[in-house]
Amino acid sequence: MPVEHDEEHFEGRLGHALHDAGDRFDADRAALVAGGLARGRRQRLRRRAAVVGGAAGIALVGVGGALLVPWGGAPAPRPAGSSVAEQPSGTPSAVPLTGRELIATLEGLLPEGKVSEQQARGTEGSMPSPYVHLVYDDGKGPGAVDVSLNRVEPGSEQARQAVDCPDKTLTPHDSCVSSRMPDGSLLMLFQGYEYPDRRVDTKRWTADLVTPTGQHVSVSEWNAAAEKGAPISRSEPPLSTAQLKELVTAQVWRKYVEFIPEETGKPTATAAPDPVEEPSYGKILDTLVPLLPKGAEVVERGADYSYAVIDDGKGRSLVEIDVQHGMGDVANELFGDGSETLADGTKVTDRQDAGDKDVPGCVRWTVDTLRTDGFRVVVSAYNAPGPHAAPSRAKPALTVRQLREIALSPQWNRFR
């Protein structure tokens, strides 16, 4: 299976990191220029955060379709003296966890059926984030199944985001439930699609578990033999929600996490943290709403991302807004030829494009501003109610002039 970057879970979530980076994150500076928003949609990715991992560093161990254990049986045992069960909790093993063990474990935990295209990576080498993939067929058609393991800091934002259901406006999906288990672990069960805009109707279901000690287990499955580029082979992924829950909560995965060196699950900062805390999304939206033109009714507002959907009687329109500190060092990249400098030194530019989700007919207008102290306010409006949604009107509900007035409003000075 080709492993690649796509958009939904990052910073230690190998499976989701590879899947989600392309669709959900606008983290690099090129995307900042094009999209105008640095904090990301669901994951709140800051400009100074470093991407951990990547497709170029992945080495997978393939087992050419051979069954390693009987169906429904236990995983193949480790060599004498190196059993996972014998490792003290929280102490990585001196003997690396192998890809073959991961394949055997996943096969042993699946219901009866056929498997093929097994690939895995253990904790050997310089990128010891365990990962296993195979294609499973229960007799109703093949479906890809992935399991990735990692560590997160207990109680951290990263841990919360791993099991926090995404905003349905920004990530359309059929179902998502996040709950706390009796042992204190957090569990998210998600039923969505490989492409949020549904340009291909491949379904993607996931289960994520984060334990109180920071063990993170992530399972993904598709109703096709590969996450991308394979025809739909069945109506739904092979494992039900109950089976996904049973698989992700299997105790053996938690033991395998203990083989991961603790530092590999933590993001690596490339610079010192921002000295000024960014305002909450709620405060940003509370400031935005009074600045909207008369007649623009707010019909929806984001909870974990600063956006509002407005309706002026001519159709719904998504409005995105963000404020950021310390952005002076990218002024030349954001404000090039054609930008304007006001009398007080504020830089202003506007952009008109088709959005960043390849939705036919989409129109996005953006106004970007940068004060002399590096304080940035950027606001965009779409002719659709969401970044993946079909257009609901010919033009955005806000004109470029109205976007400019909002971005330059002195009301934003309260956050400087």
Side-chain angles (χ1 to χ4, degrees):
M1 166 183 150
V3 181
E4 57 181 290
H5 280 286
D6 187 338
E7 146 145 47
E8 324 278 328
H9 304 292
F10 171 79
E11 287 182 323
R13 302 180 63 183
L14 176 64
H16 290 301
L18 298 178
H19 174 278
D20 289 344
D23 286 340
R24 292 187 186 167
F25 298 140
D26 298 326
D28 60 352
R29 290 182 175 178
L32 290 182
V33 174
L37 295 169
R39 290 204 287 179
R41 294 211 157 86
R42 178 167 172 252
Q43 299 289 351
R44 308 176 184 181
L45 190 63
R46 290 181 182 270
R47 176 173 55 91
R48 291 183 174 86
V51 175
V52 179
I58 290 180
L60 298 177
V61 177
V63 179
L67 289 179
L68 300 182
V69 296
W71 285 112
R78 293 178 65 87
S82 60
S83 169
V84 173
E86 297 174 4
Q87 303 305 322
S89 177
T91 303
S93 171
V95 179
L97 174 66
T98 69
R100 287 181 178 272
E101 290 175 282
L102 290 167
I103 292 170
T105 299
L106 178 54
E107 289 183 352
L109 291 171
L110 290 173
E112 184 175 357
K114 298 179 180 179
V115 294
S116 60
E117 300 184 33
Q118 301 98 317
Q119 296 175 320
R121 185 185 68 194
T123 56
E124 314 97 328
S126 60
M127 292 184 61
S129 298
Y131 171 83
V132 57
H133 159 84
L134 53 75
V135 175
Y136 167 69
D137 190 343
D138 59 359
K140 300 178 182 179
V145 179
D146 291 358
V147 178
S148 61
L149 310 174
N150 221 313
R151 295 181 184 273
V152 293
E153 187 69 25
S156 66
E157 182 73 0
Q158 180 189 359
R160 186 192 68 80
Q161 290 171 356
V163 291
D164 188 21
C165 286
D167 190 309
K168 204 164 189 176
T169 296
L170 303 177
T171 307
H173 55 272
D174 294 330
S175 174
C176 186
V177 177
S178 185
S179 60
R180 185 179 296 274
M181 301 185 66
D183 67 353
S185 297
L186 298 175
L187 173 68
M188 181 183 73
L189 299 172
F190 172 86
Q191 294 183 343
Y193 297 85
E194 178 64 26
Y195 299 95
D197 61 5
R198 305 283 293 276
R199 61 184 182 270
V200 178
D201 212 28
T202 306
K203 293 183 179 180
R204 177 173 178 259
W205 293 0
T206 65
D208 282 273
L209 179 80
V210 174
T211 70
T213 57
Q215 298 158 316
H216 180 203
V217 182
S218 181
V219 178
S220 299
E221 60 167 342
W222 294 262
N223 63 334
E227 59 183 288
K228 295 180 185 297
I232 294 173
S233 53
R234 49 189 300 138
S235 60
E236 295 183 345
L239 302 179
S240 67
T241 299
Q243 289 171 320
L244 269 180
K245 179 178 179 180
E246 183 177 358
L247 179 58
V248 79
T249 57
Q251 290 293 323
V252 64
W253 301 125
R254 306 187 193 193
K255 296 177 180 178
Y256 284 171
V257 172
E258 301 308 321
F259 281 72
I260 305 173
E262 299 220 13
E263 64 272 13
T264 63
K266 299 178 182 179
T268 302
T270 58
D274 289 336
V276 180
E277 182 179 358
E278 305 291 0
S280 69
Y281 299 117
K283 291 181 179 179
I284 293 174
L285 293 176
D286 287 344
T287 304
L288 169 68
V289 172
L291 299 176
L292 294 172
K294 185 177 179 180
E297 178 188 1
V298 176
V299 295
E300 186 177 348
R301 53 185 284 164
D304 62 354
Y305 172 62
S306 49
Y307 77 87
V309 178
I310 64 174
D311 193 337
D312 59 358
K314 300 177 182 179
R316 296 191 173 194
S317 178
L318 173 68
V319 178
E320 298 176 325
I321 180 84
D322 203 10
V323 300
Q324 304 157 353
H325 297 89
M327 298 297 289
D329 59 340
V330 294
N332 292 336
E333 299 174 48
L334 297 172
F335 300 89
D337 296 340
S339 64
E340 177 185 0
T341 301
L342 305 182
D344 64 357
T346 299
K347 294 182 180 295
V348 184
T349 190
D350 64 81
R351 294 181 287 274
Q352 300 185 21
D353 58 29
D356 56 5
K357 302 302 176 187
D358 299 323
V359 178
C362 180
V363 176
R364 176 175 62 182
W365 295 344
T366 299
V367 171
D368 205 341
T369 65
L370 185 69
R371 275 64 166 179
T372 55
D373 60 357
F375 181 70
R376 182 187 183 201
V377 179
V378 56
V379 57
S380 297
Y382 294 71
N383 67 332
H388 300 284
S392 56
R393 49 190 299 143
K395 298 179 181 179
L398 301 180
T399 65
V400 172
R401 180 176 178 178
Q402 289 170 327
L403 291 170
R404 180 185 173 104
E405 291 175 354
I406 290 172
L408 290 174
S409 170
Q411 294 299 320
W412 301 112
N413 290 337
R414 72 185 68 180
F415 301 125
R416 294 174 70 176

